[in-house]
Amino acid sequence: QKEVEQDPGPLSVPEGAIVSLNCTYSNSAFQYFMWYRQYSRKGPELLMYTYSSGNKEDGRFTAQVDKSSKYISLFIRDSQPSDSATYLCAMSALQGAQKLVFGQGTRLTINP
Amino acid sequence: ETGVTQTPRHLVMGMTNKKSLKCEQHLGHNAMYWYKQSAKKPLELMFVYNFKEQTENNSVPSRFSPECPNSSHLFLHLHTLQPEDSALYLCASSQDRRNTYEQYFGPGTRLTVT
């Protein structure tokens, strides 16, 4: 079993839709949960990170962590064609104690 | 220049060649990382440097040799590579090893081994 599972998609939705991207994990020691966005031919860009459980909002993006279910989500409201990219989840345990473990990435396309 | 830069952006090399990838970060960070990104696979951590000292080698074959002369520069020296080493090689940095959750990536070097 992989430590982090992420559906690779592809996921295609119309402009303006609410997008839900998800990852599940098996390691209960994970404390930090990150979402990266990667455009084609570019490196990953950190969108946001969350420590432990709860929600975090940044503009149209909301990250949720449910540690009891070992499940994290990224919601994108009012999706735009410019949101079309691959979204990577990543997790780590204690500060400096463990490396980042990435999901495979979900390829998202927002259709105008 | 801002952020994390990598050169070259594209590299084609034969299995007997020797080449080097370069990474430079302009963020004042002290930790730097090399990752390998292959199609349909998660990012794989290769090496970690913290304050110029290598702190992690993730069972990487010896045909990959990292070098970190200072906190701003990171190199990956390549020799006698195999076709399966073709991938996107990404460099990242963070404030230090404790801030692994906040890493900033460069654009990557697309490597093709023929």
Side-chain angles (χ1 to χ4, degrees):
Chain A
Q1 182 187 9
K2 295 179 186 175
E3 274 194 288
V4 179
E5 298 273 3
Q6 183 176 12
D7 185 340
L11 180 62
S12 182
V13 301
E15 183 176 355
I18 296 174
V19 177
S20 173
L21 303 167
N22 313 293
C23 289
T24 59
Y25 62 96
S26 58
N27 188 344
S28 57
F30 287 146
Q31 298 277 10
Y32 285 93
F33 304 91
M34 282 66 69
W35 286 98
Y36 283 85
R37 176 176 63 196
Q38 186 173 19
Y39 291 116
S40 181
R41 299 185 183 83
K42 296 286 181 70
E45 171 195 8
L46 179 64
L47 283 175
M48 54 204 313
Y49 68 86
T50 309
Y51 174 71
S52 195
S53 285
N55 295 359
K56 188 171 186 178
E57 187 174 322
D58 184 1
R60 296 184 295 109
F61 298 87
T62 300
Q64 285 187 354
V65 175
D66 182 349
K67 291 190 71 180
S68 63
S69 301
K70 295 191 179 68
Y71 187 88
I72 70 170
S73 301
L74 178 71
F75 297 96
I76 307 174
R77 292 186 301 281
D78 187 25
S79 55
Q80 305 294 312
S82 58
D83 296 327
S84 298
T86 297
Y87 288 80
L88 309 169
C89 65
M91 309 174 188
S92 68
L94 298 174
Q95 281 183 328
Q98 298 288 342
K99 61 185 180 183
L100 284 188
V101 181
F102 282 84
Q104 189 177 338
T106 299
R107 186 172 176 182
L108 172 67
T109 301
I110 309 297
N111 300 303
Chain B
E1 289 277 13
T2 59
V4 182
T5 58
Q6 290 185 243
T7 54
R9 295 293 309 277
H10 301 273
L11 178 62
V12 179
M13 59 186 290
M15 290 190 285
T16 58
N17 291 159
K18 288 184 180 181
K19 296 286 184 183
S20 295
L21 310 184
K22 178 183 175 182
C23 174
E24 184 174 359
Q25 58 91 4
H26 308 269
L27 300 168
H29 289 167
N30 295 297
M32 297 188 77
Y33 311 77
W34 278 118
Y35 287 88
K36 176 183 179 182
Q37 188 174 35
S38 305
K40 296 184 171 59
K41 292 177 70 175
L43 265 73
E44 300 172 57
L45 179 65
M46 300 175 72
F47 301 103
V48 182
Y49 278 83
N50 195 38
F51 291 92
K52 302 189 298 179
E53 299 296 321
Q54 185 178 137
T55 58
E56 189 157 346
N57 176 337
N58 207 31
S59 303
V60 180
S62 59
R63 56 185 184 271
F64 294 91
S65 174
E67 178 189 0
C68 188
N70 55 61
S71 292
S72 299
H73 293 86
L74 186 64
F75 295 89
L76 189 61
H77 304 298
L78 316 171
H79 63 98
T80 60
L81 294 191
Q82 304 298 309
E84 60 265 28
D85 297 321
S86 299
L88 181 68
Y89 288 86
L90 291 159
C91 172
S93 70
S94 65
Q95 186 60 50
D96 57 47
R97 192 68 180 95
R98 295 173 300 171
N99 301 92
T100 186
Y101 54 88
E102 194 171 1
Q103 292 184 29
Y104 294 88
F105 284 81
T109 295
R110 174 69 62 186
L111 174 67
T112 303
V113 181
T114 60

